[in-house]
């Protein structure tokens, strides 16, 4: 059946992160990625999509995070019994809690900025694929570029996830401060975000540090 994946703005800007997660999904043999369309997701669509967390404190952060820069819409074909395993391969929702064998551990440093969305079960798959298809007019089989090409272009770019997570943990533990690490964090993000404008670096900095401390 069809599920919805979204390469989120952080995964799209941190090039190796997005490419690595997509490669991990493809190589798993558990699913097929059936579209790849770049879109700035409208806040109205996000309000529907994230209705189940609209009462949570992180919700305003989440909507700004998801609507500020382009994402890639990816319809995912998978056996319904595989979705749990694919979600496990992605790792925990909050990246700093992701298991060491998961893609988010390798590619997403910290917090709710977790690189990629994937429908959590059959019910969500049905709801989300219909919502996103009807709202955006994107269909299975539509690609801006072949995903293999995207992976080839970006998979080998710098990936500072582990170093960034180490820094964020130090800050979270109170052993260091954002002010102290500020310059280094921006440097690492700039290196990962091949060709990105400075406003995108500022966005990443915000999205990764806003919930810290
Ligand atoms: P998932 O996306 O893993 O299905 P969810 O549906 O509970 O998780 O939440 C939707 C998104 O909200 C999630 O991808 C990132 C963000 N989020 C969830 N819990 C969070 C938290 N405790 N802190 C920050 N962001 C969170
Ligand atoms: Mg969910």
């Amino acid at each position: 059946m069809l599920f919805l994946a979204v390469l989120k703005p952080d995964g799209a800007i941190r090039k190796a992160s997005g490419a690595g997660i997509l490669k991990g999904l493809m190589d798993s043999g558990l699913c097929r990625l059936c579209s790849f369309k770049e879109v700035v997701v409208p806040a109205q669509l996000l309000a529907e999509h994230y209705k189940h967390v609209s009462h949570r404190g992180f919700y305003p952060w989440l909507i700004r995070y998801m609507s500020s820069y382009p994402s890639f819409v990816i319809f995912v074909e998978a056996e319904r019994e595989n979705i749990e395993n694919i979600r496990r391969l992605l790792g925990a929702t909050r990246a700093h809690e992701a298991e060491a064998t998961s893609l988010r551990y390798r590619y997403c440093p910290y917090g709710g900025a977790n690189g990629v969305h994937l429908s959590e079960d059959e019910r969500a798959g049905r709801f989300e694929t219909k919502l996103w298809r009807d709202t955006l007019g994107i269909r299975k089989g539509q690609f801006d570029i072949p995903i293999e090409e995207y992976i080839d272009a970006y998979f080998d770019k710098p990936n500072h996830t582990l170093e960034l997570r180490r820094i964020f943990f130090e800050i979270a533990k109170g052993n260091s401060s954002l002010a102290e690490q500020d310059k280094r964090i921006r440097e690492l993000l700039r290196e990962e975000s091949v060709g990105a404008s400075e406003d995108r670096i500022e966005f990443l900095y915000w999205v990764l540090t806003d919930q810290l401390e």
Side-chain angles (χ1 to χ4, degrees), residues 3-7 25 33 72-76 116-119:
F3 298 91
L4 177 76
V6 179
L7 179 56
L25 291 175
L33 309 184
F72 286 87
V73 178
I74 304 167
F75 292 116
V76 175
V116 169
H117 166 79
L118 180 65
S119 312

Side-chain angles (χ1 to χ4, degrees), residues 178 182 185-186 189 201-209:
L178 251 188
D182 179 280
I185 293 169
R186 283 192 166 80
L189 293 174
I201 311 302
E202 280 313 303
F203 164 73
L204 283 179
Y205 182 88
W206 166 76
V207 94
L208 288 167
T209 60

Side-chain angles (χ1 to χ4, degrees), residues 2-23:
L2 213 54
F3 298 91
L4 177 76
V6 179
L7 179 56
K8 299 181 179 186
D10 56 322
I13 299 171
R14 299 177 61 240
K15 295 300 186 185
S17 165
I21 294 174
L22 295 179
K23 181 166 161 48

Side-chain angles (χ1 to χ4, degrees), residues 15-17 19-20 23 107 150-159 194:
K15 295 300 186 185
S17 165
K23 181 166 161 48
Y107 293 110
Y150 189 88
I151 291 169
D152 282 349
Y154 297 127
F155 183 70
D156 290 332
K157 298 303 178 198
N159 168 23
V194 182

Side-chain angles (χ1 to χ4, degrees), residues 52 87 117 120 128:
H52 65 291
R87 292 256 307 181
H117 166 79
E120 68 180 70
E128 293 173 359

